[in-house]
Amino acid sequence: MRRFLVAGNWKMNTTRESGSQLAQALVKEVPTENQAVEVLVCPPFPYLTTIGEIVGASGIGVGAQNCYHEKPGAFTGETATEMLSDIGCRSVLLGHSERRHILKETDVDINLKVKKALADGLQVVLCVGELQSERESEQTETVLNTQMTGGLDGIDASAFDQIVIAYEPVWAIGTGLTASPDQAESAHQYLRNWLKDHYSSEIADATRILYGGSVKPDNARELLSQENVDGALVGGASLKPEQFIPIIQAAIELSAN
Ligand code: PGA
């Protein structure tokens, strides 16, 4: 049985103060005895240590929003996975659509980062998803295939206990438009079959596939109820405890059923 993962992507938001308050609220409200749902927050780089100290031993994990693929050295402005591990960061988001489309990261760039992060023992949340124009021209599966093939090129089956896939249709990110539960389920099914075809049934069954794109308390339960949706990658709503906590609660309740 796959354990739900609810991850908050803070993007380039919060101050040290507001991020600390947010983390404190999560520590207070997320039951420490909660084993059913993995909870992760991904603050901006400058606050990773502060937030890591606040979540401490609460069971809430801290992840980065990006990393570089080289070992520490002369790479001005970049962050090595060694540094992330050093400060207790256990996960990293890679291939987020904002990095693909605004920062122009290619599948080749993303694949180098995936390999480096896995080699250094980080959990990788690999984000994939189509643009609105690609959905309209019925290219969704082609795009997902390209991003999965490129992002996971050369990745061994043995690494899959560190890999989570996040399906994030670009048209649903930060727009208030959410994929319908059927649209989400159909993309998730495609991704699970992809894992089966390229790896094995065991890996396809065990790998978590999160949905992301305008997840809110009022749509979380229905999305998380889909058979192939194993959690949520939450942007805007993860910045507000009164929205993020009910999403976590929905996952806790559903995993009890
Ligand atoms: P959103 O962002 O929840 O604000 O749509 C999701 C994401 O980009 O991960």
Side-chain angles (χ1 to χ4, degrees), residues 7-9 11 93 96-98 127 168-169 172-177 211-216 233-238:
N9 173 10
K11 310 192 180 185
L93 305 181
H96 189 277
S97 68
E98 285 146 21
C127 306
E168 297 206 307
I173 296 180
T175 57
L177 296 174
Y211 170 78
S214 298
V215 177
K216 306 280 180 234
L233 179 53
V234 186
S238 75

